[in-house]
Amino acid sequence: MEKTKKNLIKREAQEEVFTKSLSEKNIYLVNGQSGCGKSTFFLNFFEEKGFNFIYIPLTTEDVDPVNFFNKINQKLSVLNGNYDLPKLTVEMLFSLDIFTKKYFEELENKVKEVMFIIFDDVQNIKESKESIKIIKTLLSMNLKNKKLIFLTKEDLFIPYFNWEVERKIFRIDTNFFRFTDEDIKEFFLDTKKKNLTDWEIENILHSTEGIIGKILITGEKSFHSIRKNLEEKLLSIISEDDIKLLCYFYNYPIINEKNLSQPDEEKRKIIDILETLNFENLFVKKTISGFKLHDLLKNYLSMKSKEFFRSNYKDFIREKAFNLYRSGFIDESLELLKSINDFKSISAILEENIINLIFEVKVYSTQKYLSYLKETEYINHPLFLYAQGYLLKFEKPDIAIEYFQKSLEIFQKINNTSGEKLVIGELFDLAQFYGEDFEIGGKYLSRAEELINQSGGNFSIEDIRLISYMGIIYLLYAGNSIKSTYYFRLLNKFLKDNTPFTSYIKIYGAISLSAAGEFVEAEKYYEEAKQIYETIPKNPNDVFMFNFLTSIYETFTGRFRESVERIRSTLEYTRAWGLTVHEEHMITRIVESLLCLGKTKEARIYLEEIEKLPYRTSFSKGMTYQLKAQMYLIEKNYDLAVESANHSIHLFKKINGKMFVIPTKSLLAVAYIGKGLYDKAEKILNEIIDWSESAKSYLQKFTSLIHLSYLYIQKNDTEKLKHTLNEALKLGKEKKITAIYNQYPELLKKVLNTAVSLNIHTDYAKYLIYIHNLSDSKKPKVKIYTFGNFKVTVNDNEIVDWKGEKPLSLLKTIVALKGENIPVDKIINIIWDGYDYIRAKQNFEFTLRKLRKILDDNSKNIIILKNNRISLNKELVWIDLWEFDELYSELEFLLNRNKLNYLKDTEKFQKIKSLYKGKFLELEEDIWIDPIRYNFDEKFNKIRKFYDGKTN
């Protein structure tokens, strides 16, 4: 915790007032003159009372939000423990108020040992609208276990007050700290008895700002004579050169903790001068922040500096600016150079630092420094053009592309390959997420390949970023699975560290490999990505990226329910963090998975939400039309399906997105089949199949072969059907494909059931029917009832003898954890807590064998153990909580959008009521089940409240 010297006057009255306020207020605004004793009072009070606190002195650098939050994290890092607080990313800057709120909520929950946070010198960040937004957000918060204290020399907060904020804030001004003249006189009379040193007396006077104290120290009554005496005393202690150095350091920049914490030779000399003045009682006070100068000394130095800086001013400032820069003070250095209009030097310093500033997310600082060069020729340096593009990529991607292209042209002219890689990578990223034209990425692919080949395998950070984007663009723009998988496999050899970036690349690799039909290898990448993600700290944008990409992979592999649940929870999470820049991508993922499950009602509502979003590119509109085509197919509205598919194809062609044109054409062909236009459909599908073979895009080939098989079923062309169906299922079985693009459940069901009836790759066809729940036989073998009394039946016979407690405990644990993809180690930690791992694992395996025997699961189809994760087979098992959750999701979705219809949807509510026979696992007393039980209660009561209200 912070340390400070004890104050010499016991401010008992002030302490009493402040102590009383602690039970009533959580936010304190302290506006007081310089030197009135604000910091000293609070630091001494908390230290004496034994309160844990962190003290954060703010400087002008902290106008940058990244510096502000980094400073808090640095202060917390000296405490015991890693608090894993979120880091500010570029995407979060667009919702800084939300990030601030969520950050301090997490800080309150995770950092239990700190009660007080003191922000000192808040006036230093008043110039930044971002910083003011942070402070304004903090003033409006209702923190329960943390108290925030803002110390400032100016009343900065009045414009942000309203009655609600005002009534929860405790205000303190200079008068709170001031002693009366009588107090001071009495104190000085008393010092004779206490034998206090002059320094100790000045320590008190520094807090008073009273003229009586100044007169007592100097014996003079006018400021002029005080200054004269001060100058004489100064020159009797230090030289004029020392005064000149002190003037410089006071003015550029002001003495603070940061400057003195990393002293170079010049700063050590300053410290020596200050120590000398401090020892000689010349109005200098040593504090935890460095040195404080009395106002008299500040005024003197300010006047004296004007005399010194008249001669050789620019050379002197330039020298000092570069001294500061070499010591790591870029902000102060650039401010000095700006004051003398030395744009050449500013450009030279920025050239060395601009990339780091961007990657450290110091957007405010980057914008400020670039503004210094705005009206000069230096602003057209390729790195600065790149930086300007980067700052605009999220808000104005089209303008960002222009900056990137200008930057790239210059880098190519001067043969700067590192710069080329940097900019091409950004153009690829824009093409992937934000731009209007995939061709922007596509036209630089050949140059990117040249640059990577020139690296000779010695890859820099720029190379690795560029390779990752190349893998993505080859897939999206060219639809070239061979090239895409090549680059992701290449990256996989080099990325061995556990970082969010590595997890993204592995998921992208899994997506690319699945598109190529390499599903075994894709699953390996997917599992590795999950393992990395589970072990690393997660920022909000990392949570979005991992879950967004994972949902794409889940869609490619037929895990549509998992994809819907993942993105629903991720969408809620990112909205809470204000990550609206990604909202459309996530809603699109939900819609696609819902349609693959045949749920058009929910999908339609989400599509309406997408169309209301403010900024939409041709890509996003193309995706919406593609999904509409899929929805209309399911609803058998073939005319609208054709219309939507054509709109989608037009938009995707406009932006050169071949990866998206091809699946939409396949949907168009299915719509033509529905309209009976078989020749048109057959021509389209055969063209796609030929292209897919040449591009080695086997998932697309499989999809179109399935669609072509459906065409031959509708035409009753048995000979072509058998040939095509055999080719499709042979390919799918060989590549272990588990889904098709834009899955149409009824179509897939008809094709697979036909394959079974014709005895064509029957095992594989039945497997696909099973995993997509397309069977006509819906009666499960095992039924599990969890609400009220726990009951299990096998073939309608209730299990009574569980052969001991452990098999029953194992099944209840699997069910309570939702019965899907549960890590075995998680189950072991619950049931065999306290056992050594080897013995616990043996007990688990033994108990699992017993449970399988009880459930008549000799073929191991009911309880599936794969990759050290356990699941219950939904084809053979029914659980009341699964049905409850599915019904609840549908009703809650409609309720939250005011679309729940009391009459139309009442049947679903009655079903939920019939399922909810009592509390979840009512007789279980394990504490870990309580939150799950409470969650189901909350869900049921939320829906019941709506229906009870309508009934009344």
Side-chain angles (χ1 to χ4, degrees):
M1 283 297 124
E2 310 287 354
K3 298 288 183 186
T4 186
K5 296 189 178 193
K6 303 292 184 186
N7 204 357
L8 297 170
I9 297 180
K10 188 71 174 170
R11 303 184 179 199
E12 293 178 354
Q14 288 91 333
E15 288 188 4
E16 185 178 341
V17 171
F18 181 62
T19 302
K20 184 180 178 182
S21 74
L22 291 176
S23 62
E24 302 168 357
K25 306 288 184 179
N26 280 356
I27 296 177
Y28 294 80
L29 298 184
V30 185
N31 297 300
Q33 297 171 358
S34 176
C36 73
K38 302 183 296 292
S39 308
T40 305
F41 172 79
F42 287 106
L43 296 174
N44 283 338
F45 177 84
F46 293 140
E47 190 177 335
E48 288 176 2
K49 299 294 183 186
F51 290 131
N52 286 338
F53 66 95
I54 56 172
Y55 174 73
I56 301 169
L58 299 172
T59 69
T60 52
E61 280 195 351
D62 299 319
V63 297
D64 195 312
V66 174
N67 289 340
F68 181 89
F69 286 103
N70 282 349
K71 184 166 277 190
I72 299 173
N73 290 334
Q74 286 163 9
K75 290 289 182 179
L76 289 171
S77 68
V78 302
L79 303 175
N80 294 325
N82 176 16
Y83 299 109
D84 190 21
L85 293 170
K87 290 188 176 69
L88 188 59
T89 60
V90 174
E91 295 84 356
M92 301 302 307
L93 288 173
F94 298 102
S95 49
L96 191 56
D97 50 344
I98 296 175
F99 177 84
T100 302
K101 185 173 182 290
K102 298 289 288 184
Y103 176 93
F104 276 89
E105 284 173 354
E106 292 210 10
L107 186 149
E108 183 168 44
N109 292 329
K110 293 179 178 179
V111 188
K112 303 291 187 184
E113 58 269 49
V114 172
M115 182 182 292
F116 296 92
I117 303 175
I118 305 171
F119 295 99
D120 202 354
D121 289 325
V122 179
Q123 74 282 348
N124 285 333
I125 61 172
K126 68 179 181 179
E127 300 302 327
S128 160
K129 64 181 181 182
E130 287 85 359
S131 299
I132 294 299
K133 185 182 283 188
I134 292 170
I135 300 299
K136 186 178 178 181
T137 304
L138 291 176
L139 291 176
S140 67
M141 289 186 69
N142 291 307
L143 297 174
K144 295 176 182 176
N145 305 314
K146 295 284 178 289
K147 297 185 185 293
L148 307 179
I149 300 172
F150 299 93
L151 310 182
T152 178
K153 293 170 186 162
E154 301 174 28
D155 196 352
L156 301 176
F157 305 96
I158 291 173
Y160 312 112
F161 277 164
N162 55 45
W163 180 82
E164 197 62 37
V165 172
E166 179 74 54
R167 70 192 188 94
K168 65 182 182 183
I169 289 175
F170 192 83
R171 279 174 164 278
I172 296 174
D173 61 19
T174 303
N175 292 325
F176 179 86
F177 303 100
R178 196 182 298 283
F179 297 111
T180 66
D181 292 349
E182 287 299 317
D183 290 335
I184 295 172
K185 286 178 181 176
E186 188 178 327
F187 172 74
F188 271 94
L189 288 172
D190 209 26
T191 59
K192 311 280 187 191
K193 302 172 188 175
K194 295 182 179 176
N195 294 319
L196 297 176
T197 65
D198 287 344
W199 187 92
E200 289 169 324
I201 292 170
E202 173 54 24
N203 191 19
I204 304 307
L205 289 175
H206 184 75
S207 300
T208 69
E209 288 290 314
I211 194 67
I212 291 176
K214 294 170 186 173
I215 291 169
L216 283 166
I217 271 285
T218 62
E220 299 288 348
K221 294 189 177 181
S222 73
F223 180 77
H224 177 74
S225 57
I226 290 171
R227 185 190 165 199
K228 186 179 176 184
N229 286 349
L230 176 61
E231 186 161 15
E232 288 175 2
K233 193 164 186 181
L234 272 173
L235 289 170
S236 71
I237 298 169
I238 58 177
S239 69
E240 189 159 323
D241 284 342
D242 290 339
I243 293 175
K244 184 175 180 179
L245 193 57
L246 193 56
C247 283
Y248 150 69
F249 202 75
Y250 167 66
N251 282 280
Y252 302 101
I254 193 165
I255 297 165
N256 60 39
E257 181 181 22
K258 181 182 175 186
N259 291 326
L260 297 176
S261 64
Q262 305 171 21
D264 54 18
E265 186 176 341
E266 193 169 66
K267 288 200 200 73
R268 287 193 185 92
K269 191 169 182 182
I270 291 285
I271 292 171
D272 289 341
I273 296 169
L274 292 172
E275 292 280 12
T276 302
L277 295 178
N278 194 22
F279 183 76
E280 296 289 339
N281 307 315
L282 253 292
F283 306 116
V284 179
K285 178 186 176 187
K286 196 169 185 180
T287 73
I288 61 170
S289 299
F291 286 86
K292 297 285 187 184
L293 308 185
H294 193 281
D295 280 358
L296 277 176
L297 187 53
K298 290 178 186 177
N299 289 334
Y300 169 78
L301 293 174
S302 181
M303 292 176 190
K304 200 68 179 171
S305 64
K306 291 173 185 175
E307 298 172 17
F308 286 141
F309 296 161
R310 281 178 191 142
S311 59
N312 299 321
Y313 179 72
K314 285 195 174 183
D315 291 341
F316 177 82
I317 293 300
R318 186 177 295 109
E319 178 194 346
K320 299 307 175 189
F322 275 95
N323 285 344
L324 278 172
Y325 173 57
R326 283 188 284 272
S327 299
F329 302 109
I330 183 173
D331 194 69
E332 294 91 337
S333 170
L334 293 174
E335 286 283 356
L336 275 181
L337 292 169
K338 181 187 171 227
S339 72
I340 58 172
N341 294 329
D342 187 353
F343 301 116
K344 183 179 179 181
S345 296
I346 291 174
S347 178
I349 289 174
L350 271 185
E351 196 176 328
E352 293 180 7
N353 292 276
I354 197 80
I355 299 302
N356 285 337
L357 285 167
I358 286 172
F359 290 155
E360 289 170 8
V361 203
K362 294 187 177 178
V363 171
Y364 178 86
S365 299
T366 307
Q367 288 172 330
K368 182 173 74 169
Y369 302 152
L370 288 173
S371 73
Y372 298 166
L373 302 174
K374 191 174 181 182
E375 303 301 327
T376 73
E377 61 182 310
Y378 299 104
I379 197 65
N380 291 316
H381 188 286
L383 273 176
F384 304 157
L385 290 169
Y386 163 81
Q388 291 172 84
Y390 187 89
L391 295 175
L392 289 168
K393 66 186 279 190
F394 297 102
E395 287 186 291
K396 298 176 181 177
D398 295 338
I399 298 174
I401 286 172
E402 291 176 15
Y403 276 113
F404 286 141
Q405 288 180 318
K406 287 177 186 175
S407 173
L408 184 60
E409 286 172 16
I410 299 172
F411 277 132
Q412 288 175 335
K413 281 180 185 177
I414 62 176
N415 198 29
N416 184 327
T417 55
S418 292
E420 277 191 83
K421 293 171 188 175
L422 192 69
V423 180
I424 291 175
E426 290 297 342
L427 286 166
F428 285 169
D429 190 38
L430 273 170
Q432 175 201 179
F433 264 118
Y434 304 103
E436 275 286 307
D437 194 349
F438 282 103
E439 182 69 23
I440 289 294
K443 73 181 182 181
Y444 297 116
L445 274 172
S446 59
R447 178 56 182 159
E449 282 203 349
E450 288 175 19
L451 291 168
I452 293 304
N453 291 335
Q454 288 171 16
S455 299
N458 297 315
F459 296 140
S460 64
I461 293 173
E462 289 90 352
D463 291 322
I464 289 171
R465 288 181 74 247
L466 186 57
I467 292 168
S468 68
Y469 289 131
M470 288 167 69
I472 296 164
I473 294 299
Y474 265 119
L475 186 63
L476 301 185
Y477 162 71
N480 190 326
S481 298
I482 301 172
K483 287 276 191 180
S484 180
T485 54
Y486 168 77
Y487 283 112
F488 283 120
R489 283 168 172 154
L490 182 64
L491 272 183
N492 199 47
K493 294 177 183 177
F494 287 89
L495 294 176
K496 302 300 180 187
D497 52 338
N498 286 0
T499 65
F501 179 75
T502 304
S503 69
Y504 306 159
I505 294 306
K506 285 187 179 290
I507 286 286
Y508 260 127
I511 293 168
S512 176
L513 287 161
S514 59
E518 302 293 341
F519 281 89
V520 175
E521 191 178 356
E523 192 69 12
K524 181 172 176 284
Y525 275 51
Y526 170 61
E527 289 297 330
E528 288 172 356
K530 281 199 300 186
Q531 288 172 14
I532 293 170
Y533 180 74
E534 287 168 2
T535 61
I536 57 175
K538 299 167 190 68
N539 284 309
N541 200 57
D542 298 331
V543 173
F544 157 73
M545 280 297 293
F546 178 81
N547 286 292
F548 171 69
L549 295 174
T550 299
S551 75
I552 297 174
Y553 178 71
E554 286 170 338
T555 305
F556 277 27
T557 53
R559 301 162 182 170
F560 307 123
R561 285 184 177 83
E562 291 93 326
S563 176
V564 170
E565 290 308 311
R566 178 183 301 280
I567 292 297
R568 271 186 179 148
S569 61
T570 306
L571 180 61
E572 186 178 330
Y573 174 85
T574 52
R575 279 174 172 168
W577 278 97
L579 273 170
T580 54
V581 69
H582 297 312
E583 189 155 340
E584 181 168 349
H585 296 300
M586 287 186 288
I587 299 176
T588 298
R589 300 267 22 100
I590 294 175
V591 173
E592 184 171 350
S593 292
L594 284 170
L595 290 174
C596 289
L597 293 167
K599 296 187 175 185
T600 58
K601 186 175 181 179
E602 285 180 68
R604 187 184 299 278
I605 294 170
Y606 275 121
L607 283 169
E608 288 171 4
E609 289 183 14
I610 289 175
E611 291 178 320
K612 290 175 184 174
L613 293 174
Y615 180 77
R616 305 198 65 221
T617 62
S618 294
F619 169 72
S620 65
K621 291 173 185 174
M623 281 302 301
T624 300
Y625 278 117
Q626 185 196 75
L627 295 171
K628 280 185 173 182
Q630 185 180 357
M631 179 179 72
Y632 291 135
L633 281 175
I634 295 168
E635 295 175 343
K636 295 185 167 51
N637 192 332
Y638 301 118
D639 288 333
L640 286 178
V642 168
E643 184 182 321
S644 297
N646 279 322
H647 276 308
S648 178
I649 291 166
H650 168 73
L651 287 164
F652 284 142
K653 281 183 175 178
K654 175 184 168 185
I655 62 170
N656 300 292
K658 188 171 286 186
M659 169 70 174
F660 302 97
V661 170
I662 300 298
T664 314
K665 277 189 171 182
S666 206
L667 286 177
L668 177 63
V670 176
Y672 283 148
I673 295 168
K675 287 170 66 69
L677 302 173
Y678 300 132
D679 291 344
K680 265 189 171 184
E682 189 170 11
K683 182 183 178 187
I684 292 171
L685 291 170
N686 280 321
E687 286 173 356
I688 295 173
I689 291 164
D690 290 343
W691 173 85
S692 301
E693 179 61 41
S694 64
K696 307 299 181 190
S697 184
Y698 291 117
L699 180 55
Q700 182 59 64
K701 182 178 180 181
F702 177 73
T703 299
S704 295
L705 284 167
I706 292 291
H707 288 168
L708 192 59
S709 299
Y710 178 68
L711 184 151
Y712 293 137
I713 291 171
Q714 299 302 102
K715 281 182 70 176
N716 292 316
D717 191 334
T718 307
E719 187 177 337
K720 284 186 177 179
L721 169 63
K722 286 181 179 179
H723 172 77
T724 306
L725 201 48
N726 182 66
E727 185 181 359
L729 297 184
K730 182 181 178 183
L731 173 67
K733 187 175 183 180
E734 179 187 321
K735 298 293 183 182
K736 295 185 167 50
I737 296 173
T738 53
I740 61 175
Y741 284 128
N742 299 97
Q743 191 155 301
Y744 173 4
E746 189 176 322
L747 180 153
L748 186 62
K749 179 179 177 180
K750 190 158 193 173
V751 170
L752 294 174
N753 282 329
T754 302
V756 172
S757 67
L758 294 174
N759 203 27
I760 298 173
H761 295 287
T762 308
D763 290 345
Y764 175 60
K766 284 183 175 179
Y767 170 70
L768 292 180
I769 290 169
Y770 149 63
I771 64 170
H772 293 299
N773 201 22
L774 300 173
S775 172
D776 288 325
S777 172
K778 296 292 182 183
K779 187 175 180 181
K781 179 176 181 178
V782 177
K783 292 184 178 180
I784 303 172
Y785 301 85
T786 64
F787 297 115
N789 292 327
F790 185 78
K791 185 173 87 169
V792 180
T793 65
V794 177
N795 295 324
D796 295 330
N797 297 312
E798 184 176 352
I799 296 174
V800 179
D801 183 7
W802 286 93
K803 311 297 182 188
E805 293 180 5
K806 290 301 183 188
L808 178 59
S809 180
L810 176 58
L811 183 60
K812 284 181 177 179
T813 303
I814 293 170
V815 169
L817 297 173
K818 298 296 180 75
E820 292 183 82
N821 211 29
I822 308 159
V824 167
D825 288 352
K826 187 171 185 177
I827 295 171
I828 288 173
N829 288 337
I830 291 171
I831 302 177
W832 289 279
D833 184 32
Y835 287 65
D836 71 78
Y837 183 75
I838 294 175
R839 188 180 170 197
K841 190 74 183 287
Q842 290 170 343
N843 285 342
F844 164 77
E845 291 167 352
F846 174 72
T847 306
L848 178 61
R849 286 195 295 273
K850 286 179 74 174
L851 179 58
R852 278 180 164 150
K853 191 172 182 181
I854 292 166
L855 297 179
D856 191 22
D857 186 24
N858 298 324
S859 59
K860 300 181 181 179
N861 284 334
I862 294 173
I863 302 174
I864 298 169
L865 183 61
K866 184 179 178 183
N867 297 323
N868 212 34
R869 289 174 178 266
I870 203 162
S871 299
L872 297 175
N873 183 342
K874 288 194 173 184
E875 182 75 9
L876 300 174
V877 178
W878 173 90
I879 309 178
D880 55 2
L881 71 82
W882 282 348
E883 189 167 349
F884 179 98
D885 268 343
E886 188 160 337
L887 288 164
Y888 172 77
S889 293
E890 291 179 28
L891 292 173
E892 187 207 28
F893 175 78
L894 297 170
L895 180 60
N896 289 345
R897 288 157 179 79
N898 295 317
K899 292 181 180 289
L900 185 56
N901 186 300
Y902 171 69
L903 295 175
K904 285 173 65 177
D905 299 305
T906 191
E907 187 180 329
K908 291 177 182 175
F909 174 65
Q910 293 303 326
K911 182 62 179 173
I912 277 186
K913 278 181 73 175
S914 70
L915 290 169
Y916 202 74
K917 294 184 171 71
K919 291 187 180 295
F920 176 74
L921 295 181
E922 199 165 55
L923 301 179
E924 288 300 312
E925 296 180 356
D926 287 336
I927 294 173
W928 71 273
I929 289 177
D930 287 342
I932 304 171
R933 185 180 292 137
Y934 176 77
N935 181 255
F936 279 115
D937 276 350
E938 286 280 289
K939 288 178 176 180
F940 179 70
N941 288 330
K942 182 176 180 179
I943 301 300
R944 183 174 65 179
K945 185 177 178 182
F946 170 81
Y947 277 92
D948 286 351
K950 292 292 180 183
T951 304
N952 292 335

